[in-house]
Amino acid sequence: MKVERIRVALDERSYDIELGAGILGGIGALCRELGLSGTAAVVSNTTVAPLYYELVRSSLEAAGYRVCLVPLPDGEEYKNSATLNLIYDGLVDASLDRGSFILALGGGVIGDMAGFAAASYLRGIPFVQLPTTLLSQVDSSVGGKTGINHPRGKNLIGAFYQPKGVLIDVATLDTLPEREYLCGLGEIIKYGAVLDGDFFSFLEENSGRLLSRDKDALIQAVSRSCAIKAKVVAEDEREGGVRAVLNYGHTLGHAVETLTGYKRYLHGEAVAIGMVQAAKISQHYGFCNQGDRDRIEALIKALGLPAELPSFPARDYQEALSHDKKVRDKGLLFICNQGIGAYRMERLTDLRALLEICGIGE
Ligand SMILES: NC(=O)c1ccc[n+]([C@@H]2O[C@H](COP(=O)([O-])OP(=O)(O)OC[C@H]3O[C@@H](n4cnc5c(N)ncnc54)[C@H](O)[C@@H]3O)[C@@H](O)[C@H]2O)c1
Ligand SMILES: [Zn+2]
């Protein structure tokens, strides 16, 4: 079975991402290769565990590990301190010691929570990511951001904590609901639009294969995305500078999520809308031309994602935007595309003008 390896270079915290189709059963051997020992605590949820836990368990047992499952309820609404405590309870019940490790089997919610549990349990034990959504394979499993939500804000509690390794099996995407799958494609478009023009062209040429979850196209798209994110993270592990480019489409995307109460759109859908607006704004300021802007919008639509901003008064958008974490005293740090495949970070102070460019008036 063909396995690709992508290095995330972070000095002594460096690790590899292993990528392939149908490779999940290799997890036991990978953990041995990584030098992990003791008990393997698999943190998963009630949707993903029935699909993939048996395969993971038998592979780990065949490699000589004692294995336990920590099952969690499924949903972003459970990404909180109460569920985190359930993980700690499971780890204590299984008598996990410092010589043991955690495996995160699921999407970004499981990865963020299990990663934070690993960062904090016994002051830190090793963990491995087994991401099973497209979004988690190309985004959340790379880069070491872990954490939970607080009633007053998303991802307010957390830590930078790198895994020992990541195993991505694109075959697990066969069971992913369509909307969730398309959301992952949204984050993939982001990498092409602001960081890699050739990759953007690849996505345009292969949109049909990607929509049908063709394994070869997926492996190429996921591996390129991981490599791009790994490079950005290697340059800026703790988001002091260039890592902010990954917020392309997210500024207006977050405003859309806030205004619609996190109900109408999934995250990747809101980001898709945000990218279409970012392209409009980039064209308005002369950073890209009409053709570039049209290509971004066309690819988003071709991959089944929404493009139109939902209708709310400009003042509501303004309010939502000024709550964005990137608003400093000097205005909004906005990521524009420079042509396709490059970016500029701009400080935009006139939010009203910005909204007008997007067609949002009073
Ligand atoms: N740490 C980071 O850098 C980072 C980056 C981006 C997003 N995130 C976080 O990631 C989370 C979103 O992650 P997500 O989009 O993966 O959502 P998710 O984890 O909620 O998964 C989406 C749904 O798909 C189900 N699922 C997962 N894998 C499946 C499979 N193979 N087959 C069938 N169903 C499956 C899940 O149970 C869930 O119902 C958010 O909490 C966000 O804050 C973190
Ligand atoms: Zn995102």
Side-chain angles (χ1 to χ4, degrees), residues 36 64 77 86 203 224 229 234 342:
L36 297 169
E77 68 271 32
L86 287 181
L203 297 173
R224 193 74 206 118
K229 180 154 186 194

Side-chain angles (χ1 to χ4, degrees), residues 241-259:
V242 64
R243 192 161 173 174
V245 64
L246 302 176
N247 284 322
Y248 180 69
H250 282 60
T251 308
L252 276 159
H254 285 147
V256 166
E257 288 183 289
T258 305
L259 288 175

Side-chain angles (χ1 to χ4, degrees), residues 45 48 74 76 79 107-109 112 132-133 140 145 155 172 175:
N45 69 26
V48 179
D74 181 9
E76 178 78 30
K79 189 177 157 182
V109 169
D112 280 13
T132 60
T133 63
S140 60
K145 280 193 192 174
N155 299 321
T172 60
T175 52

Side-chain angles (χ1 to χ4, degrees), residues 135 139 187 190 246 250 267 271:
L135 181 136
D139 192 350
E187 300 282 358
K190 171 184 83 178
L246 302 176
H250 282 60
H267 173 72
V271 169

Side-chain angles (χ1 to χ4, degrees), residues 61-282:
E61 283 182 357
Y65 294 103
R66 190 180 144 241
V67 188
C68 69
L69 172 66
V70 182
L72 304 178
D74 181 9
E76 178 78 30
E77 68 271 32
Y78 297 106
K79 189 177 157 182
N80 57 25
S81 55
T83 314
L84 182 66
N85 271 322
L86 287 181
I87 305 182
Y88 295 141
D89 290 349
L91 303 180
V92 174
D93 285 347
S95 310
L96 237 77
D97 57 17
R98 287 186 109 160
S100 297
F101 63 103
I102 290 177
L103 287 139
L105 176 66
V109 169
I110 288 294
D112 280 13
M113 282 199 293
F116 188 51
S120 48
Y121 181 74
L122 300 177
R123 299 190 182 81
I125 61 171
F127 90 111
V128 173
Q129 294 263 26
L130 297 171
T132 60
T133 63
L134 186 52
L135 181 136
S136 60
Q137 295 184 348
V138 299
D139 192 350
S140 60
S141 69
V142 188
K145 280 193 192 174
T146 71
I148 56 170
N149 299 329
H150 184 272
R152 271 180 271 155
K154 282 197 67 178
N155 299 321
L156 288 187
I157 322 288
F160 284 97
Y161 193 67
Q162 302 297 342
K164 292 290 170 216
V166 181
L167 185 149
I168 298 179
D169 184 349
V170 296
T172 60
L173 301 176
D174 284 343
T175 52
L176 193 65
E178 181 73 358
R179 262 183 95 186
E180 297 289 351
Y181 179 76
L182 298 179
C183 278
L185 293 179
E187 300 282 358
I188 290 175
I189 296 171
K190 171 184 83 178
Y191 295 121
V194 284
L195 289 161
D196 189 335
D198 289 341
F199 183 45
F200 193 91
S201 303
F202 167 86
L203 297 173
E204 289 177 319
E205 284 151 24
N206 290 278
S207 57
R209 290 171 74 207
L210 288 168
L211 281 173
S212 63
R213 308 191 193 193
D214 173 276
K215 297 288 177 299
D216 287 333
L218 258 174
I219 287 176
Q220 287 186 67
V222 174
S223 107
R224 193 74 206 118
S225 299
C226 287
I228 294 171
K229 180 154 186 194
K231 186 164 173 286
V232 171
V233 168
E235 281 172 36
D236 179 18
E237 186 179 2
R238 299 178 73 92
E239 197 165 336
V242 64
R243 192 161 173 174
V245 64
L246 302 176
N247 284 322
Y248 180 69
H250 282 60
T251 308
L252 276 159
H254 285 147
V256 166
E257 288 183 289
T258 305
L259 288 175
T260 52
Y262 289 89
K263 291 202 169 67
R264 184 140 123 222
Y265 300 99
L266 294 176
H267 173 72
E269 294 168 346
V271 169
I273 295 171
M275 289 192 287
V276 171
Q277 310 312 314
K280 274 186 203 164
I281 291 160
S282 305

